[in-house]
Amino acid sequence: MAGWIFPEWRGGNFYPEGLKQKDELHWASRAVSAIEINSSFYRNQSPKSYESWAAQTPETFRFTVKGHQAVTHIKRLKDVEQPVELFFNSIQSLGKRLGAVCWQLPGNFKYDLDRLERFFKLLPGDIRQALEVRSKTFAEPAFIDLLRAHNIALVTADTADWPWLDLTADFAYLRLQGAPGSDHYTPDEIDAWAQRLKAWSEGKPAKDSPLIAPPANAIPRDVFCYFVSTDKPNAPRNALTVAAKLGLLAPRD
């Protein structure tokens, strides 16, 4: 799921009736195995905040963190050495609970191989990185090759503007926005995503996967999957349903 403070999840819809807001992360981190932090896109959170969030979660739990907008939307990946350094300094307090970083480009950002390559060289190689693009100008085999060369995951976004499902790293990263043209996923669509996640985790090709480039190496992968955006009110149910279909257990203390 993306975030954990969401009014529609309260009152028994996900959080138990009467659960205090300060206890929501503690509860959520024992129901799902990972959460994406979105507030980091708007401002760098303090190291104390990250430390506090990490302390509330089980050892096996993982956060992924969305990259700061100063890098992606304001400077548009150009001359970003300082904001990139500030961002990574701020998230170090998550320690081993840091699962990955997701950089989300604006829709009007068009494919620029040289700018991307300079940006990728700034990213720490010991932290998993994912990139979400929204322009079809990125639908180039050379872009897929570049991501694979840097072991950066191409975000699967499940949108009409970006339907491709290429795997480009030793892990997979999905931000499922809601079925295109609908405000929620049907049971059949949830089942189809569960099958894809299972295949990718086992190093097998997923069925009916549109690709830009030839398929990736068939290796088992960790898979980070978040239900976000249009279908966010149903995100907990979607996440728990998929986890149950895959036989996954939530983390425990």
Side-chain angles (χ1 to χ4, degrees):
M1 302 183 302
W4 60 89
I5 300 175
F6 199 61
E8 285 83 348
W9 296 353
R10 296 172 182 149
N13 292 326
F14 174 52
Y15 294 124
E17 187 76 45
L19 184 71
K20 296 180 179 178
Q21 184 172 325
K22 68 180 182 65
D23 296 326
E24 288 176 350
L25 175 57
H26 181 278
W27 198 94
S29 66
R30 285 150 179 83
V32 297
S33 58
I35 285 176
E36 183 187 73
I37 297 173
N38 289 319
S39 57
S40 55
F41 172 79
Y42 301 100
R43 66 183 180 89
N44 284 322
Q45 304 297 310
S46 71
K48 287 186 178 180
S49 292
Y50 286 119
E51 185 176 356
S52 172
W53 295 336
Q56 296 176 56
T57 64
E59 288 188 4
T60 56
F61 185 82
R62 295 293 178 266
F63 289 100
T64 63
V65 187
K66 188 181 288 186
H68 197 285
Q69 63 178 337
V71 175
T72 55
H73 287 59
I74 298 174
K75 288 183 170 289
R76 299 173 69 86
L77 308 187
K78 187 178 181 180
D79 300 325
V80 292
E81 289 83 355
Q82 184 177 18
V84 165
E85 182 179 2
L86 288 173
F87 171 78
F88 281 104
N89 286 342
S90 73
I91 67 175
Q92 293 302 317
S93 296
L94 283 175
K96 63 182 180 181
R97 286 174 177 76
L98 175 59
V101 171
C102 176
W103 301 96
Q104 188 178 60
L105 297 182
N108 61 0
F109 190 111
K110 295 183 178 181
Y111 176 56
D112 184 330
L113 189 149
D114 291 338
R115 188 175 297 192
L116 288 168
E117 192 156 30
R118 287 194 297 270
F119 170 61
F120 291 165
K121 289 179 180 178
L122 299 176
L123 304 179
D126 59 344
I127 298 175
R128 285 171 161 172
Q129 313 284 338
L131 182 71
E132 180 176 356
V133 301
R134 300 176 179 182
S135 168
K136 289 184 177 179
T137 62
F138 284 86
E140 295 284 346
F143 172 56
I144 302 302
D145 291 342
L146 178 65
L147 293 173
R148 288 174 175 165
H150 290 272
N151 195 38
I152 294 175
L154 176 61
V155 173
T156 294
D158 188 29
T159 64
D161 290 337
W162 192 262
W164 294 282
L165 304 179
D166 293 78
L167 298 176
T168 59
D170 59 7
F171 71 104
Y173 198 108
L174 298 87
R175 304 186 78 250
L176 300 184
Q177 311 280 343
S182 175
D183 63 354
H184 69 282
Y185 287 103
T186 66
D188 285 345
E189 288 166 339
I190 291 293
D191 188 60
W193 279 114
Q195 292 178 29
R196 291 186 183 105
L197 302 184
K198 185 174 188 296
W200 289 337
S201 70
E202 295 175 347
K204 300 175 182 177
K207 297 180 180 178
D208 303 322
S209 295
L211 301 176
I212 297 168
N217 294 334
I219 59 171
R221 287 174 167 84
D222 289 340
V223 179
F224 296 89
C225 179
Y226 303 103
F227 289 92
V228 302
S229 193
T230 305
D231 204 19
K232 191 172 180 180
N234 298 313
R237 182 172 68 251
N238 292 337
L240 295 176
T241 299
V242 168
K245 288 179 179 292
L246 298 177
L248 300 177
L249 297 176
R252 300 296 176 187
D253 284 327

